[in-house]
Amino acid sequence: RKEVEQDPGPFNVPEGATVAFNCTYSNSASQSFFWYRQDCRKEPKLLMSVYSSGNEDGRFTAQLNRASQYISLLIRDSKLSDSATYLCVVAGGGADGLTFGKGTHLIIQP
Amino acid sequence: EAEVAQSPRYKITEKSQAVAFWCDPISGHATLYWYRQILGQGPELLVQFQDESVVDDSQLPKDRFSAERLKGVDSTLKIQPAELGDSAMYLCASRSGYNEQFFGPGTRLTVL
């Protein structure tokens, strides 16, 4: 079983729509959770951290369910510039490096 | 804005040759990571340094890969000999304390 699992997509979504991604993680001792964004042939960049209480940054909302070991990302009013791969990331639980999922590929269509 | 520097950006080599990648972290960042990202996958941690010391190299294929950070600043990752399966993006990241990891632009390696 992979440590972090995501649906690779692609998700083809019309501009302006709301889209949600999920991921699950296997290490119950994980302590930190993130969503990273990666554009084609570029390095990953931190989109937002994820907290148990849920957190919002503009059009982006992230939530964490520790009991189910489940992380979500919601994008509202999607823009063409949101097209990218979204990587679910966990850290801690005995390891300091980041553990990445394979990523979910999002394509926003005009 | 300070950035993680990596070179070369692209490297093409033949199998059995030796290759080396260089990373210069953001100034003052004590923690440095090397990741490998195969096309279609997420990055996977190869090695982590705290200053000049290796903290975690459990996923580094030590028969052919080596990494060093002699003065606790810049770092070099070496592969000898390179194999076809080593074709990937090699990403360096650095961090200060428990803050965000910042990634460099990566070195894209193609082994022929």
Side-chain angles (χ1 to χ4, degrees):
Chain A
R1 180 183 174 189
K2 295 216 179 279
E3 290 192 54
V4 179
E5 295 203 54
Q6 297 181 249
D7 181 344
F11 283 52
N12 290 281
V13 175
E15 190 176 8
T18 296
V19 60
F21 307 138
N22 307 314
C23 88
T24 57
Y25 61 95
S26 61
N27 188 346
S28 59
S30 298
Q31 297 174 4
S32 303
F33 309 89
F34 311 92
W35 284 101
Y36 272 70
R37 171 190 168 131
Q38 187 171 27
D39 293 298
C40 187
R41 296 183 176 274
K42 300 284 190 179
E43 71 273 23
K45 293 188 177 179
L46 180 66
L47 178 66
M48 58 196 303
S49 300
V50 188
Y51 305 111
S52 297
S53 55
N55 49 300
E56 187 174 309
D57 183 2
R59 298 181 293 107
F60 299 81
T61 301
Q63 294 207 312
L64 167 65
N65 184 322
R66 284 186 182 269
S68 300
Q69 296 179 202
Y70 172 99
I71 305 164
S72 66
L73 176 69
L74 182 78
I75 306 175
R76 291 182 300 278
D77 187 25
S78 54
K79 312 291 185 190
L80 294 177
S81 58
D82 294 333
S83 297
T85 296
Y86 291 83
L87 297 159
C88 179
V89 186
V90 305
D96 189 43
L98 301 176
T99 301
F100 287 80
K102 288 187 176 183
T104 296
H105 188 38
L106 174 64
I107 301 170
I108 305 298
Q109 297 174 328
Chain B
E1 183 178 313
E3 297 179 339
V4 177
Q6 290 189 247
S7 67
R9 294 292 305 277
Y10 303 92
K11 179 70 178 178
I12 300 174
T13 191
E14 294 184 343
K15 63 180 181 180
S16 79
Q17 296 298 304
V19 292
F21 314 133
W22 177 79
C23 171
D24 191 14
I26 293 172
S27 178
H29 283 197
T31 310
L32 183 149
Y33 308 83
W34 283 100
Y35 291 85
R36 176 172 62 184
Q37 185 174 23
I38 295 170
L39 192 63
Q41 306 287 320
E44 294 179 312
L45 179 67
L46 291 175
V47 61
Q48 176 187 343
F49 289 92
Q50 183 67 30
D51 298 309
E52 69 278 6
S53 300
V54 173
V55 173
D56 181 2
D57 64 355
S58 57
Q59 300 303 310
L60 188 70
K62 298 182 187 64
D63 57 335
R64 297 184 301 107
F65 285 63
S66 64
E68 60 183 18
R69 194 184 183 198
L70 294 177
K71 297 184 179 179
V73 181
D74 58 336
S75 176
T76 301
L77 178 69
K78 297 180 181 178
I79 308 174
Q80 182 173 19
E83 296 181 352
L84 295 177
D86 296 332
S87 294
M89 173 83 89
Y90 290 83
L91 292 158
C92 179
S94 70
R95 190 183 74 173
S96 173
Y98 291 96
N99 299 320
E100 173 187 351
Q101 285 191 28
F102 291 89
F103 284 83
T107 296
R108 185 170 296 278
L109 173 67
T110 301
V111 182
L112 303 175

